[in-house]
Amino acid sequence: PTRRSSGSTLWPCLDRVDLVAVSPDGERRIAVDVKDYLSPASLAARFSGFKEYAADHKCYLVVPDYIPALDPKYAVRFETFRASYGKSPVALRTMSALLEELEA
């Protein structure tokens, strides 16, 4: 991964994730991947995880806000499918929920 004291990088490492950001004090590191899948089963099966970022970044898989509006149980279904495929848990957020969390 690209290392910087602070700032952000779009599509680092050939689009392994969509955004990597580091706070000015270097204490907060995030990796964000945005996906637009209507099917939580498809997203759970296809998303391979954050591999090289998981050790030192807070990692978020982000879906557009309209997704849970269409399917209020999307996140629960995503987690259930992901577990059934034997894949590691992932922090799933909507775009607006992620922004609220990061602003806190």
Side-chain angles (χ1 to χ4, degrees):
T2 304
R3 301 283 181 199
R4 292 168 65 173
S5 58
S6 69
S8 60
T9 304
L10 285 173
W11 309 296
C13 299
L14 302 174
D15 196 22
R16 283 288 304 127
V17 296
D18 292 316
L19 174 71
V20 172
V22 180
S23 65
D25 64 5
E27 293 294 315
R28 195 170 187 188
R29 297 173 177 273
I30 64 167
V32 177
D33 203 3
V34 180
K35 301 291 187 199
D36 192 357
Y37 282 75
L38 287 176
S39 166
S42 294
L43 179 57
R46 296 181 122 188
F47 184 69
S48 59
F50 289 95
K51 296 178 176 70
E52 60 271 353
Y53 298 97
D56 61 354
H57 288 71
K58 176 79 175 176
C59 299
Y60 299 94
L61 180 59
V62 178
V63 295
D65 289 344
Y66 77 87
I67 297 282
L70 294 174
D71 179 359
K73 296 190 183 241
Y74 188 92
V76 172
R77 294 175 58 218
F78 169 80
E79 291 169 9
T80 301
F81 283 119
R82 192 146 175 91
S84 75
Y85 299 140
K87 296 189 174 198
S88 61
V90 175
L92 182 68
R93 303 285 189 277
T94 61
M95 184 60 70
S96 61
L98 176 63
L99 292 174
E100 285 178 25
E101 186 173 328
L102 295 176
E103 288 174 349

